[in-house]
Amino acid sequence: MRFLPLVTLGAALLVACAPTAVSPTTTGSTLRAAFSDQGVAFVTAGRACVARAPSFVTICPTLPAAVDVAWNGGDAWAAVPSLGVAVTLDRAARSVTVGRVVALSATRAYREDGSAVNYEGSPVGGVPGRPTLALTGGNGVDYALLAGSLVSVPGGAKLDAPAGDFLVVTPTGARASRVPAVESASGTYQLSGGRLERLDATGRAAASVLHPEGRVGMVGAEVVTVTADGAVRVYSETLATRLH
């Protein structure tokens, strides 16, 4: 990992990288989230946070406005365009020069022009244009939403797939969706119409619970959601039990 000199970042970033546990109250329509076996990282209205399993205590370091979050090597990262860096949200304080990033995946930081760097700051293949969202699919390959289309990375080849405003991780890759969702071996989970639903193989809602708008993903075998006010909820695979 190539770290930025702390003297360049200044004392403010030294404080920013020191995590403190808080109860987030930030609200706003801009919400992005990244899920892994370690927990959930999310950014809402520019405030980046991380909640690690199994406690899911939320930590929100003091940072300038962030635009996206991702997991890499067990660390939760946030992109801070005003500083041109990606920084870790907890554990050891780290930073890497990435430029003015608009989207993060588990392998790449994507800049405004679609060029990308990895978490060591080295150039890697990107896409020909500004991506709306990006993620690393279940097959380890990156996908992005570019001009409303699902594209593969690197290169930006358009994939023949349904349109949507959200990217969904699937066991074999990723897809676009009109609602926040995630696919797993236990079913597809989606947030739609004020409910969290588990769909069976036929697309029928096998279970559902009331739930506000937000994002949904898998953390291990648990279904985890986060909403724009920073509330993290954890459910069993059947949605029969809310665990946190």
Side-chain angles (χ1 to χ4, degrees), residues 1-243:
M1 180 66 65
R2 188 181 69 189
F3 304 111
L4 282 178
L6 291 179
V7 64
T8 302
L9 290 179
L13 192 53
L14 280 172
V15 174
C17 289
T20 55
V22 300
S23 298
T25 57
T26 305
T27 59
S29 59
T30 303
L31 172 64
R32 295 192 186 184
F35 301 85
S36 78
D37 287 344
Q38 285 74 40
V40 56
F42 60 94
V43 58
T44 177
R47 190 180 192 189
C49 305
V50 59
R52 286 185 178 269
S55 67
F56 291 97
V57 172
T58 300
I59 293 172
C60 303
T62 302
L63 291 171
V67 295
D68 205 359
V69 290
W71 291 87
N72 174 271
D75 284 315
W77 292 82
V80 182
S82 64
L83 298 179
V85 299
V87 299
T88 52
L89 294 175
D90 66 346
R91 304 204 309 182
R94 305 180 188 179
S95 63
V96 60
T97 301
V98 292
R100 291 194 62 83
V101 166
V102 295
L104 292 178
S105 74
T107 66
R108 289 168 167 81
Y110 294 83
R111 302 188 183 107
E112 294 172 322
D113 62 357
S115 63
V117 296
N118 61 22
Y119 287 86
E120 294 179 348
S122 300
V124 290
V127 293
R130 182 187 181 113
T132 305
L133 292 170
L135 59 70
T136 304
N139 56 356
V141 174
D142 265 24
Y143 299 85
L145 283 180
L146 185 64
S149 298
L150 179 67
V151 301
S152 61
V153 181
K158 186 182 295 186
L159 303 177
D160 185 14
D165 297 324
F166 301 93
L167 281 178
V168 177
V169 175
T170 72
T172 59
R175 63 177 174 85
S177 173
R178 298 192 182 278
V179 297
V182 62
E183 291 184 14
S184 73
S186 57
T188 297
Y189 301 88
Q190 67 177 29
L191 289 169
S192 178
R195 304 191 74 86
L196 170 61
E197 301 174 325
R198 179 172 68 89
L199 308 181
D200 62 19
T202 68
R204 181 183 64 88
S208 69
V209 294
L210 290 173
H211 197 288
E213 293 182 2
R215 302 293 183 268
V216 58
M218 300 298 298
V219 177
E222 297 175 328
V223 183
V224 178
T225 65
V226 60
T227 53
D229 62 356
V232 176
R233 297 170 172 85
V234 184
Y235 298 86
S236 64
E237 289 180 305
T238 62
L239 303 186
T241 305
R242 180 175 170 183
L243 304 175

